[in-house]
Amino acid sequence: RGKRAFIAGVADDNGYGWAIAKSLAEAGAEILVGTWVPALNIFESSLRRGKFDESRKLQDGSLMKITKVYPLDAVYDSPEDVPEDVKANKRYAGASNWTVQEVVESVKNDFGTIDILVHSLANGPEVSKLLSETSRKGYLAAISASSYSYISLLKHFLPIMNQGGSSLSLTYIASERIIPGYGGGMSSAKAALESDTRVLAFEAGRKKRIRVNTISAGPLGSRAAKAIGFIDMMIDYSFTNAPLQKELHAEEVGNTAAFLASPLASAITGSVIYVDNGLNAMGVGV
Ligand code: NAI
């Protein structure tokens, strides 16, 4: 039987989540995705209308199949957590069962189990503010959407993950080095995510021999990154200063994810794996 993957954080064909879905599909996995509720309609209609067909092409010429798209808002664990104004919001009211617990229940009813969990989402409402000027609310929102969302997904999916499965997330070097511009507590959120990767690797490993890793990816002009505003500069900086002076392709992150999810990586867990043309290894820019 092929493996089944759930990828949280796919809403277009530009980001790392999409590239990971493609690489996993290329390797024979069945693909389920979790799409942020406010982005659901446009993603599904674009899929239906064939807008992504060019980027769905696999090496054998067939189109990647997304077996099911689940609406998801990973800042809410269960319906009791959803505030009234969100419930009443037109975009949210039009979808159902999108809290983490409900999504996992739906996946369980639809498919029984999964083998691979991917967390490819982040959000920090105050990302453009300096850390020293970030509000408590903004900081906690960044941690909630970008770090706890992973704990929640893994916590709820673990009971339906097959023994020997694999889980991974995406992180950024701003967790350990100063990257001015990555503000609002997003650097803190990535530091938490990396630390949690180690502890979760222990817990999920002992419970079900599930591996937990995170990919520290280089800069990509995704929708989320463009919203931060300094992505073109980071891409140029990387091109100039990294050991490998080449464009970083989302596919390279996707392929690393497929490797980490495969038996080829059977002894790798609790790791931060850099896929950044080597930029992390530099001490100075030259
Ligand atoms: P993206 O825009 O493709 O992915 C982010 C996704 O998160 C979007 O689909 C968005 O709808 C979703 N999302 C936001 N809040 C959500 C919520 N509450 N519930 C469910 N989904 C939610 O952008 P990208 O850049 O590919 O991001 C994927 C991951 O890669 C993130 O963790 C990001 O921090 C990480 N990353 C990105 C880098 C970059 O330069 N683009 C560099 C290193 C890491």
Side-chain angles (χ1 to χ4, degrees):
R1 183 181 74 74
K3 290 186 176 168
R4 185 177 299 116
F6 183 91
I7 302 149
V10 180
D12 59 41
D13 59 350
N14 292 319
Y16 282 133
W18 177 274
I20 291 170
K22 251 187 107 173
S23 293
L24 290 173
E26 200 77 73
E30 178 175 22
I31 306 299
L32 314 176
V33 305
T35 300
W36 196 28
V37 186
L40 179 73
N41 280 343
I42 172 121
F43 179 62
E44 285 198 304
S45 66
S46 302
L47 252 185
R48 243 188 344 263
R49 293 201 328 265
K51 225 193 117 199
F52 301 136
D53 283 3
E54 199 49 46
S55 27
R56 280 172 65 203
K57 271 219 182 89
L58 300 177
Q59 262 150 40
D60 67 2
S62 69
L63 298 187
M64 167 175 69
K65 191 174 166 219
I66 298 178
T67 305
K68 192 159 176 181
V69 178
Y70 292 87
L72 168 70
D73 194 320
V75 304
Y76 305 114
D77 301 315
S78 64
E80 306 88 77
D81 298 336
V82 183
E84 288 307 322
D85 60 318
V86 175
K87 260 181 212 156
N89 183 306
K90 202 167 90 232
R91 282 141 106 194
Y92 281 83
S96 55
N97 298 324
W98 39 259
T99 66
V100 173
Q101 185 197 313
E102 293 169 293
V103 169
V104 175
E105 268 163 27
S106 305
V107 172
K108 184 180 180 185
N109 291 336
D110 293 340
F111 300 99
T113 61
I114 64 164
D115 304 283
I116 300 163
L117 172 64
V118 178
H119 175 280
S120 182
L121 64 96
N123 205 358
E126 297 182 13
V127 64
S128 54
K129 284 192 191 163
L130 300 175
L131 181 60
S132 52
E133 290 173 6
T134 297
S135 72
R136 184 182 300 267
K137 195 167 165 229
Y139 183 91
L140 293 177
I143 297 275
S144 173
S146 313
S147 316
Y148 188 78
S149 58
Y150 184 51
I151 298 182
S152 180
L153 278 165
L154 189 59
K155 166 183 172 177
H156 288 90
F157 267 114
L158 207 51
I160 67 159
M161 278 184 82
N162 291 317
Q163 188 92 13
S166 169
S167 175
L168 62 99
S169 64
L170 274 298
T171 186
Y172 185 47
I173 194 155
S175 59
E176 45 176 326
R177 301 276 184 256
I178 302 163
I179 309 282
Y182 200 71
M186 281 306 299
S187 58
S188 331
K190 291 306 192 188
L193 184 67
E194 291 175 23
S195 178
D196 297 344
T197 296
R198 292 181 281 272
V199 179
L200 294 170
F202 171 73
E203 295 175 5
R206 291 294 175 93
K207 266 191 198 153
K208 298 189 83 168
R209 206 180 283 185
I210 284 164
R211 294 179 296 104
V212 182
N213 293 291
T214 187
I215 295 175
S216 185
L220 174 77
S222 65
R223 191 190 167 104
K226 283 183 181 141
I228 301 173
F230 70 153
I231 190 68
D232 292 334
M233 193 190 100
M234 297 317 284
I235 290 172
D236 289 346
Y237 181 89
S238 178
F239 196 97
T240 306
N241 296 296
L244 302 178
Q245 292 187 307
K246 64 170 193 64
E247 193 185 334
L248 175 67
H249 299 282
E251 186 190 352
E252 296 175 295
V253 168
N255 290 342
T256 305
F259 160 71
L260 286 173
S262 81
L264 292 173
S266 55
I268 303 178
T269 194
S271 290
V272 179
I273 309 282
Y274 296 93
V275 184
D276 65 349
N277 285 327
L279 186 64
N280 73 89
M282 298 299 296
V284 290
V286 280

